[in-house]
Amino acid sequence: MINFVTSPEEYRHWKLDIADAVATLGMDVREEETLGPGYKLKLNSYDLGVDIELADAIERLRFEYPGVKVVVVTSLKPRIFCAGANIYMLGSSSHAAKVNFCKFTNETRCAIEDDSRHSGRRYIAALNGTASGGGYELAIACDEIYLVDDGNAAVSLPEVPLLGVLPGTGGLTRLVDKRKVRRDRADIFSTLAEGIRGKRAKDWGLIDDSFPTSKFQHAIAARVDQLVSKSDVPSGLTGIKLHPLECEETADARVYKYVSLHLNRDRRCADLTLYGPEGNLPEELQSIWGLGDAWWPLRVFRELDNALLHLRVNEPEIGLVCLRTKGDIDNVLAIDKTLGAHQGHWLVRETVLLMARVLRRLDLTAKSFFALIEPGSCFAGSLLELALAADRTYMLNDPEQQNELAVSDVNAGALPMNNGLTRLQSRFLAEPVRVAQILDYRGRFNSEAAEEAGLVTVAPDSLDWDDEIRLAIEERTSLSPDALTGMEASLRFAGPETQETKIFGRLTAWQNWIFQRPNAVGEHGALTNYGKPTQPKFDFRRT
Amino acid sequence: MINFVTSPEEYRHWKLDIADAVATLGMDVREEETLGPGYKLKLNSYDLGVDIELADAIERLRFEYPGVKVVVVTSLKPRIFCAGANIYMLGSSSHAAKVNFCKFTNETRCAIEDDSRHSGRRYIAALNGTASGGGYELAIACDEIYLVDDGNAAVSLPEVPLLGVLPGTGGLTRLVDKRKVRRDRADIFSTLAEGIRGKRAKDWGLIDDSFPTSKFQHAIAARVDQLVSKSDVPSGLTGIKLHPLECEETADARVYKYVSLHLNRDRRCADLTLYGPEGNLPEELQSIWGLGDAWWPLRVFRELDNALLHLRVNEPEIGLVCLRTKGDIDNVLAIDKTLGAHQGHWLVRETVLLMARVLRRLDLTAKSFFALIEPGSCFAGSLLELALAADRTYMLNDPEQQNELAVSDVNAGALPMNNGLTRLQSRFLAEPVRVAQILDYRGRFNSEAAEEAGLVTVAPDSLDWDDEIRLAIEERTSLSPDALTGMEASLRFAGPETQETKIFGRLTAWQNWIFQRPNAVGEHGALTNYGKPTQPKFDFRRT
């Protein structure tokens, strides 16, 4: 079982150093400490275990060290920055493992950009040696890239020429969409195994600058000073500690404080329930800060994140997740009100940004989601996003039982999808006026009102409820899981496309296609044959 | 060998009826007249042969019947509109054949929308019976959809539940992006094999209206009359005849009048040369109309289109196409000037729109393209688009020989890519100001100026030219063709995404992925097992 919980004291591959306003994320991968057997993490190459630490470090920076203004991503090994995803790991992984690995890595790269865009921390990739493949893809997720000019160091994307696969962790997309490298130059760069060095790399926009070895550290330090001095991140903030998540694990359940996950493996579905906040909710910043990571919204969404990652990686046969909530709608709305009232405060902002990232993780999870709204639930405001993220929403219509949902200001923009729209906007592309109407209505929606407003898919009555839900679950879990993955990846992201949707849609789908092709993974494929005395043999028919 | 040339007299599956301003495209597929062995085209299901006729009919309408204001797409069979792509054909096709079939079908659907958007013809899908799968995808490409209410007829996308593949010919994308069907309803619709009828289909936005059998023809006729009366397509236009393309075919060449294609199969590359217009170019509408389909821009781009389709489908091992032009730059610029001067005339407009579609076909062709600019070439204006569409452009820099290129007004917007940008805009995403500078410069660019302006990738001198081109070709054709397909599909479409790029990028890539998965095409896959007594067996691990 792959465990996503870690902390700096446990890191094996990264060193997180904080010096006032500057954090240094130093990559120093231990060759032997792999997540699986059969490969060594040479030359700062990485597997999922390395990226889990990186994701943790980025998350932790935001909560534990809010005063950090600049993050330097570099290598602690001489003459090599990072050789990218480990090829032997990729070559020996199952298709599903490759796909999940790339998705998580992509999310981590996006988390860097999310921190930069929304929290103002600047990320500098200080390439003290060659950055190839995923190493350059990590660099290109940073705001600025500086490469040492030691006569040898290069940036490269050798996936196509060496491995017959794509730079699929955002590489191709960020090349032409983020750094806007001219497409013919991007073509040359992406087919040139040895990569591009110094001046040419700068001229083409692949890096921001290069410096000779003797001046490299000084130049980086000078640029860091510049960025610190013009940063709008306030000085002197005191963070909160992110403690390890507590989770009671049994054979078919994971029970956290506010989240419980029950696996019905024989039926290929899981029940994922979120529990609303209890009473005595803090309204003042001092008490929120005092609660730290025990504060309900932070805790429940961290737990949800962990449950989703667990489902993705450790429970491949679960095809459908039934989302439920339990608790008091008023309490959820009170939390949302507090989130809105203090949105200018760093801890509240970071909490909301984390909630948004976790919901985007849900959007990108290759499982079907049905939201089930029953009496006693609290699908309101931030938790209503779960229902809006679900592929379908069923709401019990029983006049004898109170069953309601509600919107809050949080639904109006704080939790955007990767397409840049809110989930309400994505839902009502055909009738944008409905979004405003729904957001304006501050009462509760009972099942009839919710159905009328278009907020739920079906509202069966109590006579039909059990059968309808059972049949819907049985039917869903009987369908081809691959077709569902492709269908959901299309239907969930209507409307505009962004760099993120291009990475997770277009680029990822092509990479997944290639990850199945004999030219990459067959007996004679390039990925399979890498590092072996045999040469790849291609079927040259173009598709 | 698959032949893309046809004409209404040869149609086996469609009947094109013209009655003044109204064209009726009647589908009446002959079961036995398939393109390949082993299947029958029952229930108006289709294979590539059926779609080649449809594509021809739509193209022909625009040139031969420019006065048509409304096109009714319907079935000549009772109680069935169209059952979609033939499942047994798909089940028995190679992966490459499926991919090419879907791509061409997608382009045909887009051609309907192109006609509607740019030429103002309104397409009505008159569903006199059930439209399922690709049948509904054809309908959803039309402007309006009317379904008979006979107690049985439905619209459906049964691919996911019945076949384990996607409605991949634009279906999922157009559902949520064009018709903006709410995503949870789209989810239900796309998993419901039997589809949705009458009122519910209308309420959900899947159709525009439904009428009882007794009133159906009358209602369609009434709607057609309405659309005719408010059409802005002028009345009384006289079309030109599109004659069959003349092409001399040999074992390794196809020689048209203005296009020649030479295949170097042992080197997996082809030489595709376009010949510029000869002298005595018509400038007046009357002479252009008199030339008809012999007019250079129309003819050369029709020939290019045919050559591209031939390469895609009949020459799978050709991985790289070297694009060249031969002729007089002044003549090309004169043609472009004429295209601009008469852009308001239907024949000129249709010619430019066809040129744009052919160039988009090139953008979407899964072959690498290198443009080679040598003395005697005429990469100017409309033909410069070939160089801008290429993955790389090489231009000989020899002070002793004149070698130039030029832009024209045609490069400023008349030939947009699927992303909605011009090829110049896509090229200079990082420096939009360059686009205006280049368009403003009305002189010639020699190789140094072209390189300086960023219009070419490399400008080797005459000492290096032969070796550099030879090496570039050898290197390109040695790489994994699958990785190149995915790479080019990412690098060619930087910038914004549109319905078209979503269909050809995201949706198509997912479909191609699924088209390789054992759950669809394996021994126990759903596509393989369709119609057999055996049931599909799925590997339920979600990826």
Side-chain angles (χ1 to χ4, degrees):
Chain A
M1 202 187 80
I2 291 171
N3 173 24
F4 288 88
V5 175
T6 184
S7 66
E9 306 77 53
E10 298 176 86
Y11 290 174
R12 291 156 300 172
H13 309 296
W14 290 90
K15 190 147 174 269
L16 177 58
D17 265 334
I18 313 287
D20 292 329
V22 181
T24 302
L25 256 170
M27 192 176 199
D28 192 7
V29 176
R30 294 193 208 165
E31 291 189 6
E32 310 284 341
E33 305 238 1
T34 65
L35 211 56
Y39 58 92
K40 287 187 186 179
L41 297 172
K42 294 191 177 174
L43 298 172
N44 267 358
S45 63
Y46 59 83
D47 64 2
L48 181 57
V50 178
D51 218 62
I52 287 172
E53 294 182 5
L54 175 61
D56 179 81
I58 295 164
E59 193 99 313
R60 204 166 286 277
L61 265 175
R62 302 177 73 162
F63 285 96
E64 299 192 353
Y65 305 99
V68 164
K69 302 177 183 197
V70 176
V71 182
V72 179
V73 182
T74 193
S75 155
L76 303 182
K77 289 192 160 63
R79 289 180 303 285
I80 179 77
F81 173 68
C82 167
N86 187 276
I87 300 168
Y88 303 100
M89 176 277 294
L90 282 178
S92 60
S93 293
S94 69
H95 180 69
K98 280 198 275 289
V99 169
N100 267 319
F101 165 68
C102 288
K103 189 183 283 182
F104 183 80
T105 313
N106 262 321
E107 288 168 327
T108 308
R109 306 292 172 271
C110 290
I112 289 176
E113 291 175 328
D114 181 76
D115 191 19
S116 170
R117 187 181 309 127
H118 297 296
S119 301
R121 259 174 293 281
R122 288 289 159 264
Y123 282 73
I124 289 186
L127 312 182
N128 52 319
T130 286
S132 49
Y136 180 63
E137 290 180 298
L138 171 58
I140 208 175
C142 297
D143 296 295
E144 302 179 2
I145 308 176
Y146 299 102
L147 176 65
V148 71
D149 183 0
D150 60 2
N152 185 48
V155 293
S156 70
L157 291 176
E159 284 88 343
V160 171
L162 287 190
L163 309 173
V165 302
L166 300 184
T169 321
L172 293 177
T173 308
R174 287 199 176 86
L175 208 54
V176 291
D177 274 305
K178 181 180 183 178
R179 296 198 68 98
K180 299 184 169 64
V181 174
R182 226 174 64 201
R183 51 167 286 203
D184 53 344
R185 290 173 164 171
D187 181 280
I188 289 188
F189 177 59
S190 308
T191 51
L192 202 62
E194 67 268 30
I196 294 184
R197 289 180 287 159
K199 181 169 179 314
R200 198 178 183 205
K202 184 181 173 185
D203 289 346
W204 285 21
L206 301 167
I207 61 172
D208 291 282
D209 214 340
S210 72
F211 307 103
T213 311
S214 60
K215 297 187 179 157
F216 187 70
Q217 292 308 337
H218 180 75
I220 297 294
R223 182 59 185 153
V224 166
D225 284 348
Q226 269 186 337
L227 288 173
V228 166
S229 70
K230 60 180 187 179
S231 171
D232 53 10
V233 175
S235 298
L237 302 177
T238 309
I240 61 159
K241 174 83 184 153
L242 293 184
H243 297 90
L245 295 173
E246 288 159 36
C247 175
E248 192 181 317
E249 298 172 40
T250 57
D252 49 11
R254 288 173 77 83
V255 180
Y256 309 79
K257 182 160 172 63
Y258 295 121
V259 171
S260 78
L261 174 67
H262 290 271
L263 306 159
N264 315 296
R265 292 199 187 85
D266 54 329
R267 294 188 287 126
R268 294 191 289 275
C269 69
D271 293 302
L272 183 60
T273 305
L274 275 72
Y275 293 84
E278 294 142 355
N280 287 327
L281 298 169
E283 289 175 22
E284 299 311 316
L285 285 170
Q286 197 54 39
S287 17
I288 291 169
W289 188 84
L291 280 171
D293 71 346
W295 190 34
W296 179 81
L298 180 50
R299 182 145 184 176
V300 69
F301 275 89
R302 283 183 75 209
E303 292 176 349
L304 174 60
D305 202 34
N306 189 262
L308 290 170
L309 290 170
H310 177 81
L311 277 168
R312 279 189 189 174
V313 171
N314 297 318
E315 295 292 343
E317 294 231 353
I318 297 292
L320 171 66
V321 180
C322 293
L323 292 166
R324 290 184 181 80
T325 55
K326 284 192 182 162
D328 186 334
I329 286 185
D330 285 329
N331 283 347
V332 180
L333 293 177
I335 289 279
D336 283 5
K337 200 172 163 194
T338 304
L339 291 172
H342 301 299
Q343 59 187 313
H345 186 263
W346 75 266
L347 176 54
V348 174
R349 184 192 66 226
E350 289 302 338
T351 300
V352 172
L353 288 168
L354 177 134
M355 293 160 69
R357 289 196 299 282
V358 175
L359 287 163
R360 289 198 290 270
R361 179 108 73 195
L362 193 158
D363 293 332
L364 286 169
T365 295
K367 314 270 185 197
S368 301
F369 289 93
F370 287 176
L372 302 179
I373 307 182
E374 295 159 291
S377 66
C378 54
F379 282 100
S382 46
L383 292 190
L384 179 63
E385 291 291 320
L386 296 169
L388 298 172
D391 299 298
R392 300 182 186 179
T393 304
Y394 293 87
M395 186 169 185
L396 176 66
N397 178 8
D398 179 354
E400 299 188 1
Q401 295 185 80
Q402 191 175 333
N403 192 22
E404 296 174 330
L405 53 80
V407 298
S408 81
D409 286 338
V410 167
N411 303 114
L415 306 170
M417 296 175 62
N418 271 322
N419 64 6
L421 302 183
T422 66
R423 286 180 188 77
L424 279 175
Q425 287 171 327
S426 294
R427 187 173 187 85
F428 297 113
L429 272 185
E431 301 168 281
V433 68
R434 279 212 188 214
V435 177
Q437 286 167 353
I438 288 169
L439 286 170
D440 280 348
Y441 181 69
R442 286 308 159 99
R444 307 289 180 85
F445 293 81
N446 65 18
S447 58
E448 279 170 14
E451 196 178 22
E452 173 69 25
L455 286 168
V456 301
T457 316
V458 200
D461 63 27
S462 49
L463 277 176
D464 293 334
W465 177 263
D466 286 346
D467 277 351
E468 181 146 355
I469 302 301
R470 183 179 52 77
L471 283 171
I473 292 173
E474 282 176 12
E475 186 215 58
R476 187 66 158 210
T477 54
S478 74
L479 300 179
S480 160
D482 307 318
L484 289 176
T485 292
M487 183 188 89
E488 291 157 4
S490 296
L491 297 182
R492 288 179 185 171
F493 298 95
E497 298 260 352
T498 61
Q499 177 182 289
E500 286 75 14
T501 62
K502 285 175 97 164
I503 289 172
F504 290 107
R506 175 185 285 264
L507 180 62
T508 296
W510 281 114
Q511 177 79 310
N512 292 356
W513 177 70
I514 291 163
F515 271 161
Q516 288 188 120
R517 301 283 288 165
N519 282 337
V521 298
E523 187 189 344
H524 303 293
L527 193 58
T528 313
N529 274 267
Y530 185 79
K532 293 186 185 167
T534 47
Q535 286 290 310
K537 286 182 204 155
F538 293 135
D539 175 346
F540 278 107
R541 285 175 296 177
R542 265 279 204 149
T543 305
Chain B
M1 202 187 79
I2 292 171
N3 172 25
F4 288 88
V5 175
T6 185
S7 66
E9 306 77 53
E10 299 176 85
Y11 290 174
R12 291 156 299 173
H13 309 296
W14 290 90
K15 193 148 172 267
L16 176 59
D17 265 334
I18 312 288
D20 293 329
V22 181
T24 302
L25 255 171
M27 192 177 200
D28 192 7
V29 176
R30 293 192 208 167
E31 291 189 6
E32 310 283 342
E33 306 237 2
T34 64
L35 212 56
Y39 58 94
K40 288 187 185 178
L41 296 173
K42 294 191 178 175
L43 298 172
N44 267 358
S45 62
Y46 59 82
D47 64 3
L48 180 58
V50 178
D51 218 62
I52 287 172
E53 293 182 6
L54 175 61
D56 179 81
I58 296 164
E59 193 99 311
R60 205 166 284 278
L61 265 175
R62 302 177 73 162
F63 286 96
E64 300 192 353
Y65 305 99
V68 164
K69 302 177 184 197
V70 175
V71 183
V72 178
V73 182
T74 193
S75 155
L76 303 182
K77 290 192 160 62
R79 289 181 303 284
I80 178 79
F81 172 69
C82 167
N86 187 276
I87 299 167
Y88 303 100
M89 176 277 293
L90 282 178
S92 61
S93 294
S94 69
H95 180 70
K98 280 197 275 288
V99 169
N100 266 319
F101 165 69
C102 287
K103 189 183 284 182
F104 183 81
T105 313
N106 263 322
E107 288 168 326
T108 308
R109 306 293 173 271
C110 289
I112 290 176
E113 292 174 328
D114 180 76
D115 191 19
S116 170
R117 187 180 310 129
H118 297 295
S119 301
R121 260 175 292 281
R122 288 289 161 263
Y123 282 73
I124 289 187
L127 311 182
N128 53 318
T130 287
S132 47
Y136 180 63
E137 290 181 298
L138 171 57
I140 207 174
C142 297
D143 295 295
E144 302 179 2
I145 309 175
Y146 299 102
L147 176 64
V148 71
D149 183 0
D150 62 1
N152 185 47
V155 293
S156 70
L157 291 177
E159 285 88 343
V160 171
L162 287 189
L163 309 172
V165 301
L166 300 184
T169 320
L172 293 178
T173 308
R174 287 199 176 85
L175 208 56
V176 291
D177 274 304
K178 181 179 183 179
R179 296 197 67 98
K180 298 184 170 63
V181 174
R182 226 173 64 201
R183 53 166 286 202
D184 54 342
R185 289 173 165 172
D187 181 279
I188 289 188
F189 177 59
S190 307
T191 52
L192 202 63
E194 68 268 30
I196 293 184
R197 288 179 288 158
K199 183 172 179 311
R200 198 178 182 205
K202 183 181 174 186
D203 288 346
W204 285 22
L206 301 167
I207 61 172
D208 291 282
D209 214 341
S210 72
F211 306 104
T213 311
S214 60
K215 298 186 179 159
F216 186 72
Q217 292 307 336
H218 179 74
I220 297 293
R223 182 60 187 154
V224 166
D225 285 348
Q226 269 185 337
L227 288 174
V228 166
S229 69
K230 59 180 188 179
S231 172
D232 52 10
V233 175
S235 296
L237 302 178
T238 309
I240 62 159
K241 174 80 184 154
L242 293 185
H243 298 89
L245 295 173
E246 287 159 36
C247 175
E248 194 180 315
E249 299 171 39
T250 56
D252 49 12
R254 287 172 78 84
V255 180
Y256 310 79
K257 183 162 173 62
Y258 295 121
V259 171
S260 78
L261 174 67
H262 290 273
L263 305 160
N264 315 296
R265 292 198 188 85
D266 54 330
R267 295 188 287 129
R268 294 190 290 275
C269 69
D271 293 301
L272 183 60
T273 305
L274 276 71
Y275 293 85
E278 294 141 355
N280 288 325
L281 298 168
E283 289 175 21
E284 297 311 316
L285 285 169
Q286 197 54 38
S287 16
I288 291 170
W289 188 82
L291 280 172
D293 70 346
W295 190 33
W296 179 82
L298 180 49
R299 182 145 183 175
V300 70
F301 275 89
R302 281 183 77 209
E303 292 175 350
L304 174 60
D305 202 33
N306 190 262
L308 290 170
L309 290 170
H310 177 80
L311 278 168
R312 278 188 190 174
V313 169
N314 298 318
E315 296 292 343
E317 293 231 356
I318 298 291
L320 170 67
V321 180
C322 294
L323 293 166
R324 290 185 182 81
T325 56
K326 284 190 182 165
D328 186 334
I329 286 186
D330 285 330
N331 282 348
V332 181
L333 292 177
I335 290 278
D336 282 6
K337 199 172 164 194
T338 304
L339 291 172
H342 300 300
Q343 59 186 317
H345 187 264
W346 74 267
L347 177 54
V348 174
R349 183 192 68 225
E350 289 302 339
T351 300
V352 173
L353 289 168
L354 177 133
M355 293 160 70
R357 289 196 299 281
V358 175
L359 287 163
R360 289 197 290 269
R361 179 108 74 196
L362 194 158
D363 294 332
L364 286 170
T365 295
K367 313 269 186 198
S368 301
F369 290 93
F370 287 175
L372 302 180
I373 307 183
E374 294 161 291
S377 66
C378 54
F379 281 100
S382 46
L383 292 191
L384 179 64
E385 292 290 321
L386 297 170
L388 298 172
D391 298 298
R392 300 182 187 179
T393 305
Y394 292 87
M395 185 168 186
L396 177 65
N397 178 8
D398 179 354
E400 299 188 4
Q401 295 184 81
Q402 192 174 331
N403 192 22
E404 296 173 331
L405 51 81
V407 299
S408 81
D409 286 339
V410 168
N411 303 114
L415 306 170
M417 297 175 60
N418 271 323
N419 64 7
L421 302 183
T422 67
R423 286 179 189 77
L424 279 176
Q425 288 171 325
S426 294
R427 187 173 187 84
F428 296 113
L429 271 186
E431 301 168 280
V433 69
R434 280 211 187 215
V435 177
Q437 286 166 353
I438 288 169
L439 287 170
D440 280 348
Y441 181 69
R442 285 311 159 96
R444 305 290 181 84
F445 294 82
N446 65 19
S447 58
E448 279 169 15
E451 196 178 19
E452 173 69 25
L455 287 167
V456 301
T457 317
V458 199
D461 63 27
S462 48
L463 277 177
D464 293 335
W465 178 264
D466 285 346
D467 277 351
E468 180 145 357
I469 302 301
R470 184 180 51 76
L471 285 171
I473 292 173
E474 283 177 12
E475 186 214 58
R476 188 65 157 211
T477 55
S478 73
L479 300 179
S480 161
D482 306 319
L484 288 175
T485 292
M487 184 188 87
E488 291 157 5
S490 296
L491 297 182
R492 288 178 186 171
F493 298 95
E497 299 261 349
T498 62
Q499 178 182 290
E500 286 76 14
T501 62
K502 285 175 96 163
I503 288 171
F504 290 107
R506 175 185 285 265
L507 180 61
T508 296
W510 281 114
Q511 177 79 311
N512 292 357
W513 176 71
I514 291 164
F515 272 161
Q516 290 187 118
R517 301 282 290 165
N519 282 337
V521 298
E523 186 189 345
H524 303 294
L527 192 59
T528 314
N529 273 268
Y530 186 80
K532 293 185 184 167
T534 48
Q535 287 290 311
K537 286 183 204 155
F538 293 135
D539 175 346
F540 278 107
R541 285 175 296 177
R542 266 277 205 150
T543 304

